[in-house]
Amino acid sequence: MDAFSSSSFSKLASPTVTLPNSKTISTHPGPSHAPHLNISSVRMENKPQTSTTTTSKTKPPTSNIQIPSLTVSSSIGAEKKAETTVTTRMFDTLNDFINNSIDPPLRPAFDPRFVLSGNFASVDELPPTDCEVIQGSLPSCLDGAYIRNGPNPQYQPRGPYHLFDGDGMLHSLRISQGKATLCSRFVKTYKYTTEQSIGSPVVPNFFSSFSSMPACLARGALYAARVIIGHYNPAKGIGPANTSLALFGNRLYALGESDLPYAVRLTPSGDIETLDRHDFDGKLLASMTAHPKIDPDSGEAFAFRYGLLRPFLTYFNFDADGNKHSDVPILSMARPSFVHDFAITKNYALFPDIQMEIKPMKMILEGGSPMILNPAKVPRIGVIPRYAKNDSEMRWFDVPGFNPVHVVNAWEVDDGNAIFMLAPNIISVEHALERSDLIHGMMEKVRVDLKTGLVTRQPISSSNLDFAVINPAYLAKKNRYVYSGVGEPLPKISGVVKLDVSKGEFQECTVGSRMYGPGCYGGEPFFVARAPENPEAEEDDGYLLTYVHNENTGESRFLVMDAKSPNLDIVATVKLPQRIPYGFHGLFVKESELNKL
């Protein structure tokens, strides 16, 4: 749930929906008098693929909350299956009535014909498939896997749909000795597996299904009925795990902030397996951020969750072995706010409390988004010691006009008496959920003086920037370089720039850039050091990785760029056997780390 939807999708080509009988139906919006197509659901079927590698079928023992079987007939008899099919059709009919008559997707930001157009449209799963390196060669330090998460709805939505609502799909490029293997798999969440076994969507889309009182009552009643008759158990999870990934405690997790993490692994052949919905031995009872911070020196992980009920913000951490420590409720946050990301330093954790607040009742009664701008609210940054036992040590500093959704990094100066934070300040943040083409991310460096309380801000770049990364070894430390996606407009990324944030005020901080070319768009870059074990290596000595899609040819490629060069020179290009839809966040996992999962 990490990029932003946009009504500018109408400029892209309209998709088509292919039904099992091979008939193709255009989903291009017609005139208002055009008849509705009463399709209860359309399954995104996995087309047979020819794989040149062998998929491992051996699964390691797992723990925590196990994923249910994907085969309905293996758990219920023929009579029960027939009964379930009849019930499912009844619910689908009711759902169609709601979508067509009570709450049709009228706004472009919630209309799947726009939201899922072009390269935002879903793709099938792809088993491990060999790829061709068509330019340069893959450096040996990239032996491992680059994995990116993003939304990919299992079923073509019939009603309102928001980009954040899609089922999570992982796109992994396994690299070994200069060769690459691509694999795309859904995260097998409880939501995904249950809906796959039933044959249609069950869980209402949070960001788009409750935009009015009639819609809330109708979809809420339908969902409650499914729960009552046993179609769905929300206690087993409702999230799509579609936002990011994190590696800590020798486990790799697919994350979405509406649910628990899902542990995943890569097989030797490059296939992706979902292991379990991980509750850390019963210590994580509710959701977790999709942006935990992993200390590169200690291996500890720091995280939080936000919610609609008190405490509206809860902070917690994990040791290097992945053991969760006690929750720290932040009671000084007085109202539910949209806290998507945060930062850590050597001794502190920093939370931006922006003007976007969560007001579901206002959405239901007045329509619109569940997250509403509060123009009277003064944004602030909360600073709490890393290992605080309660929020009595939390200090809040007002930062008028500062509304970051993502945070790049933070570090301490002046013997820990001041803190710098790097983050893109989202101008016109009220449009973040529905009109991201109208927002502008301005990279800023904010200084918080812990002694005097004085807060100062320095603009780093006037470009429209977001999805920015650093060398991961510099997390919570002073860094010099930032690599950021260029929005044109967001959520599309037309290129990447390299910023030198050590430069003074009014100095040009852009020291490198690469634009992908007309009709070509990528996503968040990821930095991989050339020699991560070398303590003398320079901060920018490494490579940038990303997927790039060419809308003119319909092809996707994997790019490796030299992070040290002024033009971010392309070191290697891999032609991919399947389109990679635009998505959210990813990471690189070294071969040695993959072997420990």
Side-chain angles (χ1 to χ4, degrees):
M1 195 181 69
D2 223 297
F4 308 109
S5 68
S6 170
S7 62
S8 62
F9 299 152
S10 58
K11 300 177 183 178
L12 304 177
S14 297
T16 59
V17 177
T18 303
L19 300 178
N21 61 6
S22 297
K23 292 181 180 179
T24 300
I25 296 175
S26 172
T27 57
H28 184 78
S32 58
H33 60 271
H36 287 289
L37 294 173
N38 291 313
I39 305 170
S40 60
S41 64
V42 179
R43 176 75 174 94
M44 300 294 189
E45 292 292 347
N46 180 24
K47 299 177 181 177
Q49 298 283 348
T50 301
S51 174
T52 55
T53 59
T54 302
T55 302
S56 171
K57 296 183 181 298
T58 303
K59 295 185 180 181
T62 59
S63 60
N64 284 275
I65 304 169
Q66 299 301 312
I67 305 301
S69 170
L70 301 185
T71 306
V72 178
S73 58
S74 66
S75 58
I76 58 178
E79 292 183 4
K80 183 66 175 178
K81 182 177 180 181
E83 178 185 336
T84 301
T85 302
V86 172
T87 307
T88 298
R89 288 176 179 172
M90 179 188 70
F91 280 117
D92 288 346
T93 300
L94 292 173
N95 193 38
D96 276 348
F97 176 75
I98 296 171
N99 293 332
N100 294 328
S101 302
I102 297 178
D103 184 38
L106 300 179
R107 299 204 301 278
F110 294 154
D111 189 334
R113 297 174 299 179
F114 298 125
V115 180
L116 293 175
S117 62
N119 194 43
F120 290 93
S122 296
V123 295
D124 295 330
E125 287 192 321
L126 179 76
T129 304
D130 288 345
C131 305
E132 179 186 3
V133 180
I134 61 174
Q135 178 183 359
S137 60
L138 295 168
S140 59
C141 66
L142 296 186
D143 279 7
Y146 169 70
I147 315 168
R148 202 219 64 203
N149 203 344
N152 194 83
Q154 177 181 190
Y155 297 101
Q156 178 72 17
R158 282 293 298 143
Y161 172 82
H162 190 281
L163 186 63
F164 294 171
D165 290 322
D167 296 291
M169 177 173 274
L170 303 179
H171 303 277
S172 170
L173 193 75
R174 183 73 180 264
I175 301 172
S176 179
Q177 299 180 346
K179 298 181 179 180
T181 302
L182 179 68
C183 179
S184 298
R185 296 290 190 192
F186 282 103
V187 183
K188 303 305 191 296
T189 63
Y190 174 72
K191 173 185 179 295
Y192 172 87
T193 55
T194 301
E195 292 181 339
Q196 186 188 55
S197 66
I198 288 176
S200 64
V202 175
V203 181
N205 294 324
F206 173 75
F207 284 93
S208 56
S209 292
F210 305 105
S211 58
S212 67
M213 180 62 76
C216 180
L217 293 175
R219 292 197 176 96
L222 195 64
Y223 178 58
R226 287 185 181 271
V227 172
I228 291 171
I229 69 171
H231 271 196
Y232 202 86
N233 182 359
K236 294 183 178 180
I238 60 172
N242 66 6
T243 306
S244 66
L245 299 107
L247 176 68
F248 61 92
N250 291 329
R251 284 184 180 268
L252 179 63
Y253 299 103
L255 303 173
E257 59 196 41
S258 60
D259 206 341
L260 304 186
Y262 278 83
V264 299
R265 70 181 286 267
L266 266 66
T267 69
S269 69
D271 210 343
I272 306 168
E273 294 179 344
T274 302
L275 302 180
D276 60 30
R277 180 174 178 258
H278 208 72
D279 65 2
F280 299 89
D281 297 323
K283 294 181 180 179
L284 184 62
L285 302 178
S287 59
M288 186 178 101
T289 176
H291 289 290
K293 305 302 178 184
I294 291 79
D295 188 302
D297 297 327
S298 69
E300 298 168 287
F302 298 83
F304 69 95
R305 66 174 169 269
Y306 68 94
L308 298 175
L309 304 175
R310 282 187 178 274
F312 301 120
L313 181 67
T314 302
Y315 171 58
F316 48 89
N317 63 80
F318 306 83
D319 64 25
D321 294 323
N323 300 307
K324 183 182 177 297
H325 294 169
S326 299
D327 286 349
V328 180
I330 307 300
L331 302 177
S332 54
M333 180 167 280
R335 57 177 68 91
S337 294
F338 179 47
V339 186
H340 180 66
D341 200 356
F342 79 130
I344 61 170
T345 67
K346 179 181 178 181
N347 295 295
Y348 297 99
L350 289 75
F351 293 91
D353 182 15
I354 66 176
Q355 290 177 287
M356 293 296 288
E357 297 182 348
I358 308 172
K359 296 184 176 181
M361 289 308 300
K362 186 177 180 67
M363 173 190 70
I364 292 170
L365 296 175
E366 301 179 13
S369 168
M371 297 178 187
I372 309 295
L373 179 77
N374 181 356
K377 179 180 178 180
V378 177
R380 56 184 186 165
I381 296 174
V383 180
I384 190 170
R386 260 199 190 192
Y387 306 105
K389 299 299 182 183
N390 55 63
D391 77 334
S392 63
E393 298 179 79
M394 171 69 88
R395 298 177 60 191
W396 292 98
F397 300 85
D398 289 348
V399 193
F402 186 59
N403 287 294
V405 173
H406 291 119
V407 180
V408 181
N409 197 26
W411 65 88
E412 299 168 28
V413 294
D414 297 340
D415 297 323
N417 291 317
I419 297 174
F420 276 107
M421 173 191 279
L422 285 173
N425 180 27
I426 304 301
I427 309 300
S428 299
V429 70
E430 66 271 19
H431 298 301
L433 290 181
E434 293 195 30
R435 290 293 306 274
S436 65
D437 56 312
L438 298 180
I439 69 173
H440 186 94
M442 180 177 291
M443 193 67 67
E444 294 191 20
K445 183 163 63 173
V446 179
R447 186 181 189 274
V448 179
D449 192 311
L450 299 180
K451 277 192 169 183
T452 66
L454 181 66
V455 178
T456 56
R457 296 160 59 186
Q458 175 190 339
I460 299 298
S461 173
S462 60
S463 298
N464 187 12
L465 305 180
D466 201 356
F467 296 95
V469 299
I470 62 171
N471 182 335
Y474 285 77
L475 186 97
K477 307 171 187 176
K478 182 178 180 179
N479 68 284
R480 179 176 178 181
Y481 297 109
V482 171
Y483 302 91
S484 178
V486 180
E488 232 180 61
L490 291 169
K492 289 187 175 182
I493 302 296
S494 59
V496 59
V497 295
K498 177 182 180 180
L499 306 175
D500 183 347
V501 299
S502 68
K503 292 183 176 292
E505 194 168 2
F506 306 117
Q507 288 185 292
E508 177 56 53
C509 295
T510 302
V511 294
S513 68
R514 171 161 291 278
M515 306 307 289
Y516 301 134
C520 296
Y521 301 95
E524 176 190 69
F526 192 86
F527 182 95
V528 179
R530 188 191 312 267
E533 309 303 327
N534 179 10
E536 304 300 322
E538 296 185 19
E539 179 185 338
D540 61 346
D541 187 12
Y543 302 99
L544 296 176
L545 316 180
T546 192
Y547 293 128
V548 174
H549 181 73
N550 187 330
E551 295 186 350
N552 303 308
T553 64
E555 294 180 339
S556 295
R557 296 182 177 182
F558 172 74
L559 293 189
V560 179
M561 295 168 277
D562 182 357
K564 200 173 181 62
S565 63
N567 297 321
L568 304 180
D569 297 330
I570 295 178
V571 174
T573 302
V574 178
K575 183 178 180 180
L576 303 177
Q578 176 169 280
R579 177 174 62 84
I580 305 295
Y582 303 128
F584 298 150
H585 305 280
L587 84 173
F588 175 80
V589 185
K590 297 185 295 184
E591 186 69 31
S592 59
E593 295 170 327
L594 287 174
N595 295 333
K596 297 177 183 178
L597 296 179

PDB file of all heavy atoms in Angstrom, residues 32-58:
ATOM      1  N   SER A  32     -22.633   6.566 -21.014  1.00  0.00           N
ATOM      2  CA  SER A  32     -23.358   6.246 -19.784  1.00  0.00           C
ATOM      3  C   SER A  32     -24.499   5.283 -20.027  1.00  0.00           C
ATOM      4  O   SER A  32     -24.925   4.588 -19.108  1.00  0.00           O
ATOM      5  CB  SER A  32     -23.897   7.536 -19.151  1.00  0.00           C
ATOM      6  OG  SER A  32     -24.744   8.202 -20.080  1.00  0.00           O
ATOM      7  N   HIS A  33     -25.033   5.189 -21.281  1.00  0.00           N
ATOM      8  CA  HIS A  33     -26.153   4.309 -21.523  1.00  0.00           C
ATOM      9  C   HIS A  33     -25.714   2.913 -21.936  1.00  0.00           C
ATOM     10  O   HIS A  33     -26.538   2.065 -22.230  1.00  0.00           O
ATOM     11  CB  HIS A  33     -27.053   4.901 -22.617  1.00  0.00           C
ATOM     12  CG  HIS A  33     -26.326   5.094 -23.924  1.00  0.00           C
ATOM     13  ND1 HIS A  33     -25.644   6.257 -24.214  1.00  0.00           N
ATOM     14  CD2 HIS A  33     -26.158   4.262 -24.986  1.00  0.00           C
ATOM     15  CE1 HIS A  33     -25.102   6.149 -25.435  1.00  0.00           C
ATOM     16  NE2 HIS A  33     -25.392   4.944 -25.913  1.00  0.00           N
ATOM     17  N   ALA A  34     -24.386   2.675 -21.989  1.00  0.00           N
ATOM     18  CA  ALA A  34     -23.918   1.351 -22.387  1.00  0.00           C
ATOM     19  C   ALA A  34     -24.327   0.329 -21.348  1.00  0.00           C
ATOM     20  O   ALA A  34     -24.312   0.599 -20.153  1.00  0.00           O
ATOM     21  CB  ALA A  34     -22.391   1.350 -22.525  1.00  0.00           C
ATOM     22  N   PRO A  35     -24.727  -0.879 -21.774  1.00  0.00           N
ATOM     23  CA  PRO A  35     -25.163  -1.902 -20.821  1.00  0.00           C
ATOM     24  C   PRO A  35     -24.008  -2.409 -19.989  1.00  0.00           C
ATOM     25  O   PRO A  35     -22.876  -2.453 -20.442  1.00  0.00           O
ATOM     26  CB  PRO A  35     -25.713  -3.012 -21.734  1.00  0.00           C
ATOM     27  CG  PRO A  35     -24.974  -2.839 -23.030  1.00  0.00           C
ATOM     28  CD  PRO A  35     -24.764  -1.357 -23.170  1.00  0.00           C
ATOM     29  N   HIS A  36     -24.304  -2.798 -18.734  1.00  0.00           N
ATOM     30  CA  HIS A  36     -23.297  -3.373 -17.851  1.00  0.00           C
ATOM     31  C   HIS A  36     -23.059  -4.824 -18.218  1.00  0.00           C
ATOM     32  O   HIS A  36     -23.973  -5.533 -18.653  1.00  0.00           O
ATOM     33  CB  HIS A  36     -23.751  -3.301 -16.392  1.00  0.00           C
ATOM     34  CG  HIS A  36     -23.707  -1.923 -15.842  1.00  0.00           C
ATOM     35  ND1 HIS A  36     -22.526  -1.274 -15.568  1.00  0.00           N
ATOM     36  CD2 HIS A  36     -24.715  -1.063 -15.508  1.00  0.00           C
ATOM     37  CE1 HIS A  36     -22.791  -0.070 -15.077  1.00  0.00           C
ATOM     38  NE2 HIS A  36     -24.099   0.071 -15.044  1.00  0.00           N
ATOM     39  N   LEU A  37     -21.829  -5.276 -18.047  1.00  0.00           N
ATOM     40  CA  LEU A  37     -21.512  -6.686 -18.229  1.00  0.00           C
ATOM     41  C   LEU A  37     -21.571  -7.335 -16.858  1.00  0.00           C
ATOM     42  O   LEU A  37     -20.734  -7.069 -16.016  1.00  0.00           O
ATOM     43  CB  LEU A  37     -20.103  -6.832 -18.825  1.00  0.00           C
ATOM     44  CG  LEU A  37     -19.953  -6.300 -20.250  1.00  0.00           C
ATOM     45  CD1 LEU A  37     -18.494  -6.335 -20.656  1.00  0.00           C
ATOM     46  CD2 LEU A  37     -20.790  -7.111 -21.211  1.00  0.00           C
ATOM     47  N   ASN A  38     -22.584  -8.137 -16.635  1.00  0.00           N
ATOM     48  CA  ASN A  38     -22.777  -8.724 -15.306  1.00  0.00           C
ATOM     49  C   ASN A  38     -21.910  -9.957 -15.121  1.00  0.00           C
ATOM     50  O   ASN A  38     -22.363 -11.092 -15.155  1.00  0.00           O
ATOM     51  CB  ASN A  38     -24.251  -9.079 -15.102  1.00  0.00           C
ATOM     52  CG  ASN A  38     -25.086  -7.821 -15.001  1.00  0.00           C
ATOM     53  OD1 ASN A  38     -24.712  -6.902 -14.270  1.00  0.00           O
ATOM     54  ND2 ASN A  38     -26.192  -7.754 -15.721  1.00  0.00           N
ATOM     55  N   ILE A  39     -20.618  -9.713 -14.953  1.00  0.00           N
ATOM     56  CA  ILE A  39     -19.666 -10.785 -14.704  1.00  0.00           C
ATOM     57  C   ILE A  39     -19.385 -10.803 -13.214  1.00  0.00           C
ATOM     58  O   ILE A  39     -18.949  -9.806 -12.642  1.00  0.00           O
ATOM     59  CB  ILE A  39     -18.353 -10.534 -15.479  1.00  0.00           C
ATOM     60  CG1 ILE A  39     -18.647 -10.336 -16.969  1.00  0.00           C
ATOM     61  CG2 ILE A  39     -17.372 -11.667 -15.258  1.00  0.00           C
ATOM     62  CD1 ILE A  39     -17.452  -9.860 -17.745  1.00  0.00           C
ATOM     63  N   SER A  40     -19.619 -11.919 -12.572  1.00  0.00           N
ATOM     64  CA  SER A  40     -19.439 -11.958 -11.117  1.00  0.00           C
ATOM     65  C   SER A  40     -17.979 -11.869 -10.753  1.00  0.00           C
ATOM     66  O   SER A  40     -17.604 -11.220  -9.800  1.00  0.00           O
ATOM     67  CB  SER A  40     -20.043 -13.244 -10.542  1.00  0.00           C
ATOM     68  OG  SER A  40     -19.417 -14.385 -11.103  1.00  0.00           O
ATOM     69  N   SER A  41     -17.131 -12.548 -11.485  1.00  0.00           N
ATOM     70  CA  SER A  41     -15.696 -12.458 -11.246  1.00  0.00           C
ATOM     71  C   SER A  41     -14.973 -13.042 -12.429  1.00  0.00           C
ATOM     72  O   SER A  41     -15.506 -13.868 -13.155  1.00  0.00           O
ATOM     73  CB  SER A  41     -15.290 -13.212  -9.970  1.00  0.00           C
ATOM     74  OG  SER A  41     -15.550 -14.585 -10.120  1.00  0.00           O
ATOM     75  N   VAL A  42     -13.756 -12.592 -12.658  1.00  0.00           N
ATOM     76  CA  VAL A  42     -12.933 -13.117 -13.729  1.00  0.00           C
ATOM     77  C   VAL A  42     -11.625 -13.572 -13.119  1.00  0.00           C
ATOM     78  O   VAL A  42     -10.908 -12.782 -12.525  1.00  0.00           O
ATOM     79  CB  VAL A  42     -12.667 -12.046 -14.819  1.00  0.00           C
ATOM     80  CG1 VAL A  42     -11.778 -12.613 -15.908  1.00  0.00           C
ATOM     81  CG2 VAL A  42     -13.984 -11.570 -15.406  1.00  0.00           C
ATOM     82  N   ARG A  43     -11.321 -14.826 -13.212  1.00  0.00           N
ATOM     83  CA  ARG A  43     -10.113 -15.387 -12.617  1.00  0.00           C
ATOM     84  C   ARG A  43      -8.900 -15.095 -13.489  1.00  0.00           C
ATOM     85  O   ARG A  43      -8.939 -15.290 -14.696  1.00  0.00           O
ATOM     86  CB  ARG A  43     -10.281 -16.902 -12.461  1.00  0.00           C
ATOM     87  CG  ARG A  43      -9.044 -17.631 -11.945  1.00  0.00           C
ATOM     88  CD  ARG A  43      -8.853 -17.383 -10.450  1.00  0.00           C
ATOM     89  NE  ARG A  43      -7.761 -18.192  -9.966  1.00  0.00           N
ATOM     90  CZ  ARG A  43      -6.507 -17.764  -9.866  1.00  0.00           C
ATOM     91  NH1 ARG A  43      -6.206 -16.529 -10.196  1.00  0.00           N
ATOM     92  NH2 ARG A  43      -5.572 -18.557  -9.415  1.00  0.00           N
ATOM     93  N   MET A  44      -7.840 -14.560 -12.891  1.00  0.00           N
ATOM     94  CA  MET A  44      -6.593 -14.355 -13.607  1.00  0.00           C
ATOM     95  C   MET A  44      -5.872 -15.701 -13.667  1.00  0.00           C
ATOM     96  O   MET A  44      -5.064 -16.031 -12.813  1.00  0.00           O
ATOM     97  CB  MET A  44      -5.714 -13.324 -12.890  1.00  0.00           C
ATOM     98  CG  MET A  44      -6.367 -11.966 -12.765  1.00  0.00           C
ATOM     99  SD  MET A  44      -6.610 -11.198 -14.363  1.00  0.00           S
ATOM    100  CE  MET A  44      -7.107  -9.558 -13.836  1.00  0.00           C
ATOM    101  N   GLU A  45      -6.206 -16.537 -14.669  1.00  0.00           N
ATOM    102  CA  GLU A  45      -5.673 -17.895 -14.708  1.00  0.00           C
ATOM    103  C   GLU A  45      -4.198 -17.895 -15.069  1.00  0.00           C
ATOM    104  O   GLU A  45      -3.724 -17.092 -15.864  1.00  0.00           O
ATOM    105  CB  GLU A  45      -6.439 -18.735 -15.741  1.00  0.00           C
ATOM    106  CG  GLU A  45      -7.880 -19.012 -15.362  1.00  0.00           C
ATOM    107  CD  GLU A  45      -7.990 -19.934 -14.155  1.00  0.00           C
ATOM    108  OE1 GLU A  45      -6.981 -20.536 -13.778  1.00  0.00           O
ATOM    109  OE2 GLU A  45      -9.094 -20.042 -13.606  1.00  0.00           O
ATOM    110  N   ASN A  46      -3.480 -18.830 -14.482  1.00  0.00           N
ATOM    111  CA  ASN A  46      -2.068 -19.008 -14.784  1.00  0.00           C
ATOM    112  C   ASN A  46      -1.921 -19.807 -16.068  1.00  0.00           C
ATOM    113  O   ASN A  46      -2.286 -20.971 -16.132  1.00  0.00           O
ATOM    114  CB  ASN A  46      -1.393 -19.741 -13.624  1.00  0.00           C
ATOM    115  CG  ASN A  46       0.088 -19.949 -13.881  1.00  0.00           C
ATOM    116  OD1 ASN A  46       0.677 -19.199 -14.659  1.00  0.00           O
ATOM    117  ND2 ASN A  46       0.663 -20.938 -13.225  1.00  0.00           N
ATOM    118  N   LYS A  47      -1.414 -19.194 -17.117  1.00  0.00           N
ATOM    119  CA  LYS A  47      -1.227 -19.882 -18.372  1.00  0.00           C
ATOM    120  C   LYS A  47      -0.008 -20.794 -18.269  1.00  0.00           C
ATOM    121  O   LYS A  47       0.973 -20.451 -17.619  1.00  0.00           O
ATOM    122  CB  LYS A  47      -1.016 -18.873 -19.499  1.00  0.00           C
ATOM    123  CG  LYS A  47      -2.198 -17.926 -19.688  1.00  0.00           C
ATOM    124  CD  LYS A  47      -1.905 -16.911 -20.754  1.00  0.00           C
ATOM    125  CE  LYS A  47      -3.076 -15.938 -20.923  1.00  0.00           C
ATOM    126  NZ  LYS A  47      -2.784 -14.903 -21.910  1.00  0.00           N
ATOM    127  N   PRO A  48      -0.058 -21.955 -18.894  1.00  0.00           N
ATOM    128  CA  PRO A  48       1.089 -22.863 -18.836  1.00  0.00           C
ATOM    129  C   PRO A  48       2.331 -22.191 -19.388  1.00  0.00           C
ATOM    130  O   PRO A  48       2.312 -21.554 -20.435  1.00  0.00           O
ATOM    131  CB  PRO A  48       0.652 -24.047 -19.726  1.00  0.00           C
ATOM    132  CG  PRO A  48      -0.844 -23.958 -19.778  1.00  0.00           C
ATOM    133  CD  PRO A  48      -1.176 -22.514 -19.680  1.00  0.00           C
ATOM    134  N   GLN A  49       3.428 -22.317 -18.660  1.00  0.00           N
ATOM    135  CA  GLN A  49       4.680 -21.738 -19.090  1.00  0.00           C
ATOM    136  C   GLN A  49       5.712 -22.846 -19.262  1.00  0.00           C
ATOM    137  O   GLN A  49       5.712 -23.828 -18.529  1.00  0.00           O
ATOM    138  CB  GLN A  49       5.192 -20.731 -18.043  1.00  0.00           C
ATOM    139  CG  GLN A  49       4.263 -19.556 -17.812  1.00  0.00           C
ATOM    140  CD  GLN A  49       4.346 -18.535 -18.908  1.00  0.00           C
ATOM    141  OE1 GLN A  49       5.245 -18.599 -19.729  1.00  0.00           O
ATOM    142  NE2 GLN A  49       3.424 -17.592 -18.936  1.00  0.00           N
ATOM    143  N   THR A  50       6.573 -22.665 -20.207  1.00  0.00           N
ATOM    144  CA  THR A  50       7.650 -23.624 -20.396  1.00  0.00           C
ATOM    145  C   THR A  50       8.852 -23.161 -19.616  1.00  0.00           C
ATOM    146  O   THR A  50       9.445 -22.131 -19.923  1.00  0.00           O
ATOM    147  CB  THR A  50       8.006 -23.741 -21.894  1.00  0.00           C
ATOM    148  OG1 THR A  50       6.842 -24.146 -22.597  1.00  0.00           O
ATOM    149  CG2 THR A  50       9.108 -24.765 -22.091  1.00  0.00           C
ATOM    150  N   SER A  51       9.191 -23.876 -18.589  1.00  0.00           N
ATOM    151  CA  SER A  51      10.318 -23.491 -17.743  1.00  0.00           C
ATOM    152  C   SER A  51      11.544 -24.285 -18.125  1.00  0.00           C
ATOM    153  O   SER A  51      11.489 -25.489 -18.373  1.00  0.00           O
ATOM    154  CB  SER A  51       9.967 -23.738 -16.270  1.00  0.00           C
ATOM    155  OG  SER A  51      11.084 -23.500 -15.476  1.00  0.00           O
ATOM    156  N   THR A  52      12.659 -23.618 -18.158  1.00  0.00           N
ATOM    157  CA  THR A  52      13.902 -24.293 -18.487  1.00  0.00           C
ATOM    158  C   THR A  52      14.642 -24.744 -17.245  1.00  0.00           C
ATOM    159  O   THR A  52      15.755 -25.213 -17.307  1.00  0.00           O
ATOM    160  CB  THR A  52      14.811 -23.351 -19.295  1.00  0.00           C
ATOM    161  OG1 THR A  52      14.984 -22.147 -18.552  1.00  0.00           O
ATOM    162  CG2 THR A  52      14.191 -23.015 -20.636  1.00  0.00           C
ATOM    163  N   THR A  53      14.015 -24.531 -16.091  1.00  0.00           N
ATOM    164  CA  THR A  53      14.625 -24.987 -14.844  1.00  0.00           C
ATOM    165  C   THR A  53      13.653 -25.887 -14.135  1.00  0.00           C
ATOM    166  O   THR A  53      12.472 -25.916 -14.418  1.00  0.00           O
ATOM    167  CB  THR A  53      14.988 -23.794 -13.945  1.00  0.00           C
ATOM    168  OG1 THR A  53      13.791 -23.071 -13.670  1.00  0.00           O
ATOM    169  CG2 THR A  53      15.987 -22.882 -14.595  1.00  0.00           C
ATOM    170  N   THR A  54      14.144 -26.608 -13.176  1.00  0.00           N
ATOM    171  CA  THR A  54      13.315 -27.534 -12.424  1.00  0.00           C
ATOM    172  C   THR A  54      12.923 -26.915 -11.105  1.00  0.00           C
ATOM    173  O   THR A  54      13.782 -26.441 -10.358  1.00  0.00           O
ATOM    174  CB  THR A  54      14.082 -28.851 -12.166  1.00  0.00           C
ATOM    175  OG1 THR A  54      14.464 -29.400 -13.427  1.00  0.00           O
ATOM    176  CG2 THR A  54      13.194 -29.844 -11.418  1.00  0.00           C
ATOM    177  N   THR A  55      11.635 -26.884 -10.825  1.00  0.00           N
ATOM    178  CA  THR A  55      11.146 -26.294  -9.594  1.00  0.00           C
ATOM    179  C   THR A  55      11.248 -27.290  -8.451  1.00  0.00           C
ATOM    180  O   THR A  55      10.753 -28.403  -8.539  1.00  0.00           O
ATOM    181  CB  THR A  55       9.682 -25.866  -9.752  1.00  0.00           C
ATOM    182  OG1 THR A  55       9.610 -24.939 -10.826  1.00  0.00           O
ATOM    183  CG2 THR A  55       9.169 -25.217  -8.484  1.00  0.00           C
ATOM    184  N   SER A  56      11.874 -26.871  -7.378  1.00  0.00           N
ATOM    185  CA  SER A  56      12.001 -27.746  -6.211  1.00  0.00           C
ATOM    186  C   SER A  56      10.655 -27.932  -5.563  1.00  0.00           C
ATOM    187  O   SER A  56       9.889 -27.003  -5.395  1.00  0.00           O
ATOM    188  CB  SER A  56      12.982 -27.126  -5.202  1.00  0.00           C
ATOM    189  OG  SER A  56      12.959 -27.837  -4.007  1.00  0.00           O
ATOM    190  N   LYS A  57      10.335 -29.162  -5.194  1.00  0.00           N
ATOM    191  CA  LYS A  57       9.069 -29.452  -4.549  1.00  0.00           C
ATOM    192  C   LYS A  57       9.250 -29.755  -3.069  1.00  0.00           C
ATOM    193  O   LYS A  57       8.316 -30.139  -2.382  1.00  0.00           O
ATOM    194  CB  LYS A  57       8.388 -30.649  -5.241  1.00  0.00           C
ATOM    195  CG  LYS A  57       8.007 -30.366  -6.698  1.00  0.00           C
ATOM    196  CD  LYS A  57       7.285 -31.545  -7.294  1.00  0.00           C
ATOM    197  CE  LYS A  57       6.919 -31.295  -8.738  1.00  0.00           C
ATOM    198  NZ  LYS A  57       6.017 -30.172  -8.905  1.00  0.00           N
ATOM    199  N   THR A  58      10.469 -29.609  -2.572  1.00  0.00           N
ATOM    200  CA  THR A  58      10.730 -29.895  -1.166  1.00  0.00           C
ATOM    201  C   THR A  58      10.518 -28.648  -0.345  1.00  0.00           C
ATOM    202  O   THR A  58      11.135 -27.629  -0.593  1.00  0.00           O
ATOM    203  CB  THR A  58      12.169 -30.401  -0.980  1.00  0.00           C
ATOM    204  OG1 THR A  58      12.350 -31.540  -1.801  1.00  0.00           O
ATOM    205  CG2 THR A  58      12.420 -30.744   0.475  1.00  0.00           C
TER     206      THR A  58
END
